[in-house]
Amino acid sequence: MKKGLVSKLAATFIVIISVSFIMTAAFLSYWFEGYYFEQRKTQLMSDSQLIATAAVQYIDEKITADKFNDALVYVGKYLSANIWLTDNYGIVYAVSDNEHKNILGKQVLTNDLEQLRENHVVESRGKYGKLITAPVHTIEIPIFHNEMFKGVIIMHSSLSEISGALKRVYEIIWISAIFAIMVSCIVIYYISRKIIINPLAQINYVADKISKGEVDRRVKINSKDEIGVLAKSFNSMADSLEKVEKNRREFISNVSHEIRSPITSIKGFIGGILDGVIPKEKENYYLSMTYEEIQRLTRLVNDLLDLSSIEAGQFKLRIEEIDINEIIRLCVIKFETKIKEKKLTVDVLMQDDKLLVVGDRDRITQVVTNLTDNAIKYVNEGGNVKISTKAKGEKVIVSIFNDGPGISEEGLKHIWDRFYKEDKSRTSKVSTGLGLPIVRCILTQLGEDIWAENQQPQGVTFTFTLKRI
Ligand SMILES: Nc1ncnc2c1ncn2[C@@H]1O[C@H](COP(=O)(O)OP(=O)(O)OP(=O)(O)O)[C@@H](O)[C@H]1O
Ligand SMILES: [Mg+2]
């Protein structure tokens, strides 16, 4: 991952930076060439005024030919240019360099003459007709005196000399560009390592550790950018994983604990009978206790299977129209023996005779049974249990109240957790602590709600909703 991302990022940035620097350097070189020739033209034109003045004086015979030639040679050297002077017909009458003496008296201007007569400067680059075959930069400047066209100053500068100077400038531009590209590449490489690659490598490392079971590992990145957000989400994911892992461990230890105690009892009872430690006449008593333990185990396993299959969504709810009042009535009848044993008063307050709701008959029966079982189990002997149904808008509200001791503040938070029991000693024999989690799971699957409240002066009410038809 490391190598791939670094090289991809670096390559992308390097291409972008190189293209921009190369474009800038090319533009600069192009611009500088234009600028250089423009400057040269301006310089030659301003200096040509001196030559023009001298030429007019020479034409008017105010200075001698020698003096004029000397001046021309001097200016030509000073400007590094070959200077030719022509009359108004384009015939050369003076040159600044000896090698072109042979063109004296020859007509060198024909095509450009028209433009020059109109006082336009003519500029060209390359060979100058057949007279100069090496590439030159040529400027032809007309001489006007008293608004009369008096001739032309032709100035040639060798292009190879000029390009020598330009070459140096180009070298500076391109070396700077290459240097800038190299520096940017190094900076980009280090920055991308620091802000992207290293944090990603850290996240990857921690993810690997977590997948190997070290769920308490966390990423330490505090930047405020997208990587920081990713690290935060990653850590919160790790938090949930740790929680799930903790729950899993707790669950396994709870299940093992719940299974171990009945198995230990069964083993003790049967061992006692086999060893003869338990007297023959007491065997039946211990066997019935063993049977009870086995029943408890069976219930535990069934409850666990129910809970896990409801949670896993494997329990397909059979949604149908059911009469909740009828389910409650049947449920109370089921508990008649227990009610009589504990001498309880059970009130059932129902709105209307029939109250139709949407639900799965078996599952809703399980909900009502578990809640009624709790109410009867946790109420004091001779106490009261009240079950009521009430239609409210689109919902039916079912409440199951018992006036036993309330549930502690802490308990109210945890009664929905698997294996939670308020008073472990009192209920350990007949309880698994799975009743309420199953109830909540079923109602959640139906999209309904359930809550528990302590009542004044004493008692607890469990209330749940169902969808009315
Ligand atoms: N009506 C109630 N009054 C007082 N406490 C209750 C009531 N219903 C539940 N509780 C408390 O909530 C705990 C969890 O209830 P839950 O039904 O899940 O488990 P259980 O009744 O202990 O076992 P099981 O229902 O599996 O036999 C109980 O142990 C009890 O302390
Ligand atoms: Mg219960």
Side-chain angles (χ1 to χ4, degrees):
M1 178 206 80
K2 254 174 168 176
K3 204 178 157 201
L5 203 52
V6 172
S7 45
K8 271 183 209 160
L9 267 176
T12 313
F13 283 126
I14 288 167
V15 167
I16 293 171
I17 286 185
S18 307
V19 168
S20 21
F21 273 114
I22 288 169
M23 275 168 66
T24 312
F27 172 76
L28 260 181
S29 311
Y30 175 77
W31 171 82
F32 191 76
E33 190 180 310
Y35 173 78
Y36 185 88
F37 279 106
E38 199 53 43
Q39 283 293 326
R40 175 96 185 142
K41 186 178 161 190
T42 314
Q43 189 199 7
L44 292 180
M45 276 172 68
S46 78
D47 291 344
S48 71
Q49 292 312 310
L50 287 171
I51 305 168
T53 316
V56 171
Q57 284 176 345
Y58 171 66
I59 293 165
D60 293 348
E61 293 180 351
K62 284 185 185 151
I63 53 171
T64 61
D66 284 348
K67 219 171 176 184
F68 178 62
N69 269 328
D70 286 349
L72 206 56
V73 170
Y74 176 76
V75 176
K77 276 201 181 124
Y78 168 71
L79 292 177
S80 309
N82 290 339
I83 305 167
W84 302 348
L85 281 165
T86 74
D87 62 9
N88 49 354
Y89 296 108
I91 295 166
V92 179
Y93 63 84
V95 292
S96 70
D97 52 326
N98 286 330
E99 60 177 298
H100 289 115
K101 277 244 161 39
N102 56 335
I103 60 164
L104 285 171
K106 281 188 185 161
Q107 191 184 22
V108 291
L109 289 171
T110 45
N111 299 343
D112 300 339
L113 218 48
E114 200 66 31
Q115 279 192 60
L116 291 159
R117 276 205 181 103
E118 283 164 19
N119 203 3
H120 288 305
V121 174
V122 178
E123 189 182 5
S124 66
R125 278 183 228 171
K127 292 178 194 167
Y128 191 74
K130 284 184 183 140
L131 299 170
I132 303 176
T133 46
V136 283
H137 175 223
T138 306
I139 302 185
E140 295 163 358
I141 305 158
I143 304 169
F144 274 86
H145 185 65
N146 296 334
E147 295 187 2
M148 290 270 290
F149 179 56
K150 291 280 184 186
V152 181
I153 306 168
I154 303 173
M155 296 198 250
H156 304 288
S157 317
S158 158
L159 269 183
S160 62
E161 255 173 56
I162 293 175
S163 58
L166 280 178
K167 221 168 130 191
R168 185 82 199 108
V169 177
Y170 292 160
E171 262 170 33
I172 292 171
I173 292 175
W174 286 99
I175 287 171
S176 318
I178 290 166
F179 184 70
I181 289 172
M182 273 160 50
V183 170
S184 334
C185 291
I186 294 168
V187 170
I188 284 166
Y189 179 80
Y190 280 102
I191 288 182
S192 57
R193 271 206 87 84
K194 193 168 167 345
I195 64 174
I196 303 175
I197 313 301
N198 289 350
L200 282 185
Q202 200 194 125
I203 294 174
N204 196 24
Y205 175 76
V206 174
D208 186 48
K209 289 283 169 203
I210 289 178
S211 73
K212 284 180 182 143
E214 293 180 38
V215 284
D216 56 335
R217 289 272 194 163
R218 291 295 177 274
V219 177
K220 287 186 196 82
I221 297 169
N222 294 319
S223 58
K224 296 248 175 327
D225 52 13
E226 284 83 349
I227 297 268
V229 175
L230 173 69
K232 229 179 186 174
S233 316
F234 182 88
N235 281 346
S236 60
M237 187 193 73
D239 287 345
S240 345
L241 265 179
E242 193 180 357
K243 213 162 134 198
V244 169
E245 178 63 14
K246 200 176 136 230
N247 282 347
R248 193 182 66 86
R249 284 192 189 144
E250 238 173 57
F251 179 70
I252 291 173
S253 97
N254 280 330
V255 170
S256 327
H257 179 81
E258 291 292 328
I259 290 175
R260 195 174 54 189
S261 38
I263 286 182
T264 317
S265 315
I266 293 167
K267 201 178 142 206
F269 298 150
I270 297 196
I273 292 171
L274 288 176
D275 298 348
V277 177
I278 290 170
K280 268 261 179 284
E281 65 273 17
K282 286 224 163 167
E283 264 180 18
N284 259 355
Y285 169 72
Y286 281 102
L287 276 178
S288 69
M289 292 222 332
T290 310
Y291 182 69
E292 243 175 55
E293 290 293 349
I294 289 174
Q295 262 186 329
R296 192 179 151 208
L297 258 182
T298 316
R299 227 194 99 203
L300 172 74
V301 172
N302 283 341
D303 278 356
L304 272 177
L305 284 176
D306 272 5
L307 193 58
S308 69
S309 55
I310 296 171
E311 271 181 350
Q314 287 165 354
F315 240 114
K316 280 275 162 287
L317 292 170
R318 267 191 300 123
I319 302 296
E320 53 189 332
E321 263 186 43
I322 48 172
D323 178 6
I324 182 69
N325 288 349
E326 189 202 346
I327 290 177
I328 293 173
R329 262 183 238 120
L330 290 174
C331 188
V332 173
I333 293 169
K334 236 180 3 195
F335 283 104
E336 223 177 274
T337 335
K338 275 193 189 167
I339 294 170
K340 276 191 181 143
E341 263 175 27
K342 273 186 107 171
K343 300 187 185 72
L344 305 176
T345 315
V346 178
D347 281 338
V348 183
L349 295 167
M350 281 164 183
Q351 179 171 343
D352 307 330
D353 187 36
K354 252 182 163 193
L355 206 46
L356 293 179
V357 294
V358 183
D360 177 317
R361 180 178 297 276
D362 292 347
R363 298 288 135 210
I364 297 295
T365 305
Q366 196 174 2
V367 167
V368 176
T369 308
N370 283 7
L371 293 174
T372 314
D373 176 55
N374 280 354
I376 291 171
K377 192 158 57 175
Y378 298 111
V379 73
N380 298 327
E381 202 149 315
N384 289 295
V385 173
K386 257 185 224 148
I387 306 177
S388 67
T389 58
K390 198 164 58 186
K392 199 174 175 192
E394 283 197 329
K395 297 279 177 189
V396 167
I397 294 171
V398 183
S399 304
I400 298 174
F401 163 82
N402 67 289
D403 64 355
I407 303 174
S408 69
E409 191 92 340
E410 193 60 20
L412 279 175
K413 274 190 230 155
H414 293 291
I415 46 174
W416 312 104
D417 294 347
R418 289 178 285 197
F419 299 111
Y420 181 80
K421 289 171 229 163
E422 274 258 274
D423 181 355
K424 294 191 169 79
S425 58
R426 195 172 68 132
T427 58
S428 65
K429 273 278 164 197
V430 273
S431 297
T432 55
L434 289 173
L436 289 180
I438 290 177
V439 165
R440 180 139 97 168
C441 220
I442 292 172
L443 290 170
T444 309
Q445 289 244 314
L446 283 168
E448 300 298 338
D449 214 0
I450 178 162
W451 61 95
E453 288 163 309
N454 282 325
Q455 300 294 334
Q456 290 309 331
Q458 71 165 10
V460 182
T461 309
F462 281 82
T463 313
F464 66 91
T465 61
L466 286 172
K467 194 165 177 266
R468 196 180 169 195
I469 297 174

